[in-house]
Every structure is written in C-alpha cells, then in structure tokens.
Amino acid sequence: MQITNHKVVSFHYTLTNDQGTIIDTSAGGEPMPYLHGEENIVPGLELALEGKSVGDKLKVSLEAADAYGEFDPAMVEIVSAELFDGVDNIEVGMEFQAELPDGEGVQIVRITDVDGDNITVDGNHPLAGQNLHFDVEITDIRDATAEELEHGHVHGSDDGCCGEGCDCD
Ligand code: ZN
C-alpha cells in the first residue's frame, strides 16, 4: 500500500533545526498517525510522503515557508498587562486565545517577553521562520474510516473519537 489521499499513515520522526538541535521526536514513544491529504501535517512533509510505503525512510528538509511559515514581525505586539486581567502570574511561554480584528475567529498567541507592564505577545507559530529537517520512517498505512474522512483527521486505535477539534461527541 502506498501513501495517497485518504490513507491513515503512521510514522516515526525526529525533527531538527539548522543547528542540528532536536526540536521534537517520536523516538521511544508511539509513531505519529495522520490522515493524508487533509493538511494534518505541514504541507512540505505531506508532499514528500506522497507515494511512499511502509518501511520507507526519508529525510525531508523544508524551508520555513513550506513548514510553519515565515516569521511575521507584524504578528508580534507589545500590549499592556491590564489586558491580562485575572491572570495572576504573567509568564513567558503562556498561551492565550486572541480574537482576530477582522472577526475571523481566534488565534493562539504566546507571551515571549514580560517587562513590567509591557507584555510582548507573538501570534507566530513557535517554529515559524525556521528551516526544519525531518528524519522519517513510515511504520503503518491503512485506509481511513468513513468517520475519519468525514472529520478530516485520525481517530484513536480504540475506535473512539479523537476529541480534539472533533464535532462527533
Ligand atoms: Zn473526529
């Protein structure tokens, strides 16, 4: 079986940056499953996996634009601590949902600096602007279930709903 749209693919991966530092890895844990063709993973990696089979190993290097996008300085903003009314300790690394000004839903922003009452919030993905290097081994490919196709993502091995981002519960 080859990887095409509507297959559920599981793979082991190690993700490093340009400096060779490991950002994330599935080594020692479970392989990561995703539904191919639904943009569940970064587009450049999904493209590289197309047509591959179980046991295939590949190294995929992605420019930032093909991974989590270029870093956008316009998405970094310094706001007043008053906006975080009700939060006891404002700390670097905290994430909040912010409403987009055009009313197009919400966006996750992270606090990247705290300087007294000046709080720097960043709406970029934590990996934006970074070239990424994936070391991948494909461990399983199967057909997606009708429910998975309907939801556009993988459900757990217990046949239940994945929960996150899911409408079926
Ligand atoms: Zn679901």
Side-chain angles (χ1 to χ4, degrees):
M1 189 179 276
Q2 288 184 315
I3 297 176
T4 55
N5 284 353
H6 302 167
K7 299 295 183 199
V8 171
V9 181
S10 296
F11 64 93
H12 271 298
Y13 67 96
T14 296
L15 172 61
T16 52
N17 61 16
D18 278 346
Q19 287 74 41
T21 305
I22 294 177
I23 297 169
D24 195 11
T25 180
S26 64
E30 293 293 313
M32 188 180 88
Y34 78 96
L35 177 56
H36 192 80
E38 297 288 338
E39 296 179 2
N40 289 176
I41 58 174
V42 292
L45 182 59
E46 187 166 56
L47 194 65
L49 286 165
E50 177 87 27
K52 297 291 187 288
S53 308
V54 169
D56 281 356
K57 296 180 180 178
L58 58 157
K59 291 181 190 296
V60 183
S61 286
L62 301 179
E63 302 278 329
D66 296 320
Y68 290 99
E70 302 289 355
F71 186 84
D72 181 0
M75 292 173 80
V76 180
E77 219 181 331
I78 295 174
V79 299
S80 163
E82 288 171 19
L83 285 180
F84 298 92
D85 203 22
V87 181
D88 288 339
N89 278 308
I90 303 173
E91 287 173 9
V92 170
M94 282 179 158
E95 294 187 343
F96 294 89
Q97 287 196 341
E99 288 193 28
L100 294 174
D102 47 12
E104 297 210 0
V106 294
Q107 176 193 27
I108 303 291
V109 299
R110 266 174 317 127
I111 291 177
T112 55
D113 193 41
V114 178
D115 179 14
D117 280 344
N118 294 325
I119 312 297
T120 305
V121 295
D122 185 352
N124 286 286
H125 188 279
L127 295 175
Q130 291 202 47
N131 298 333
L132 299 180
H133 307 278
F134 291 90
D135 218 322
V136 171
E137 179 178 0
I138 297 156
T139 59
D140 191 56
I141 303 171
R142 65 167 170 85
D143 289 316
T145 65
E147 192 187 50
E148 285 172 326
L149 289 177
E150 202 177 303
H151 291 187
H153 55 228
V154 172
H155 288 168
S157 50
D158 55 358
D159 262 359
C161 177
C162 56
E164 198 176 340
C166 219
D167 296 321
C168 60
D169 57 10

